[in-house]
Amino acid sequence: MLKHMDTIHATQGRRHERSAPTAEGGDIMAMPMTIREYLRACDIDYEEVSHPRAVSTSRIARVAHVEGDQLAKAVMLHGDAGYRVAVLPSDRDADLERLTQLFHEDLELATEDEVRHEFDDCDPGAAIPVGQAYGLQVYLDDHLRHRPDVYFEAGDHETLVHMSGGEFDRLMAGSQHGDFSRPR
């Protein structure tokens, strides 16, 4: 039998709401520890929001009742110097030509196998906007900067991470940024 448990962890005045489904006989962690520990190390205030299982970001936005311009999606890229993660609003598409121009590197979409290999503790197909936690360089689209609230997939297709735009901006402070997305 699956049930939902909430715990609150306070560190230096920051509130972290965590929720993970548990089953009799043991815990099932919704968010991979790589992401959880990275957010903790960065002292980011966030909450986990569960939603019905969905894989595409447009479907996740619908079932989680989140606006597409508030839901960050990650697009993993393969470039001359290795893998990168482009982070943009879920209601926009990455413009590879513009990304190549902005960051002076030939970039192409990574394969599903490459995504699975880099994000090996996440559900298949789940590329995480917090690529820094996996040692990947992150490119942030300007359409996500300075938003009031930002949500992103936690790695399991059933949980979103929600944080204020200020916390998200702080989390992405070391990322290169630019205008590299276009409306769908």
Side-chain angles (χ1 to χ4, degrees):
M1 178 176 169
L2 224 45
K3 66 180 183 178
H4 195 72
M5 293 184 64
D6 292 328
T7 60
I8 296 177
H9 178 276
T11 306
Q12 298 174 2
R14 299 239 178 232
R15 189 179 116 232
H16 302 271
E17 289 184 18
R18 297 200 169 80
S19 57
T22 59
E24 282 183 43
D27 290 341
I28 300 170
M29 298 302 290
M31 182 190 302
M33 287 305 293
T34 304
I35 300 164
R36 186 178 308 280
E37 291 302 318
Y38 186 79
L39 293 173
R40 182 177 296 144
C42 293
D43 196 25
I44 298 296
D45 188 15
Y46 70 94
E47 68 178 333
E48 293 179 40
V49 180
S50 61
H51 62 81
R53 184 169 177 77
V55 178
S56 74
T57 54
S58 59
R59 177 101 174 100
I60 291 168
R62 250 188 330 274
V63 300
H65 308 291
V66 173
E67 296 296 321
D69 63 348
Q70 291 182 308
L71 179 60
K73 71 177 177 181
V75 177
M76 198 168 110
L77 306 167
H78 188 112
D80 300 332
Y83 295 112
R84 309 276 186 258
V85 175
V87 180
L88 58 149
S90 69
D91 62 353
R92 300 180 68 87
D93 288 322
D95 183 332
L96 290 177
E97 186 176 310
R98 183 75 181 129
L99 276 159
T100 294
Q101 291 170 354
L102 276 172
F103 302 113
H104 311 291
E105 182 179 13
D106 287 328
L107 296 165
E108 58 187 41
L109 293 175
T111 66
E112 284 297 317
D113 284 341
E114 291 170 320
V115 172
R116 217 175 353 266
H117 180 264
E118 289 300 310
F119 296 100
D120 62 348
D121 60 349
C122 298
D123 281 356
I128 305 301
V130 188
Q132 309 93 314
Y134 293 85
L136 301 173
Q137 185 171 1
V138 174
Y139 298 142
L140 179 63
D141 186 71
D142 285 340
H143 290 92
L144 270 176
R145 297 179 71 216
H146 315 300
R147 305 284 315 157
D149 289 283
V150 177
Y151 296 79
F152 59 85
E153 227 182 317
D156 68 350
H157 299 302
E158 295 176 354
T159 309
L160 291 177
V161 174
H162 169 237
M163 63 185 64
S164 72
E167 289 292 276
F168 185 74
D169 290 345
R170 200 165 63 79
L171 182 64
M172 295 292 164
S175 303
Q176 294 182 46
H177 65 88
D179 183 0
F180 57 77
S181 69
R182 61 179 184 270
R184 284 195 163 164

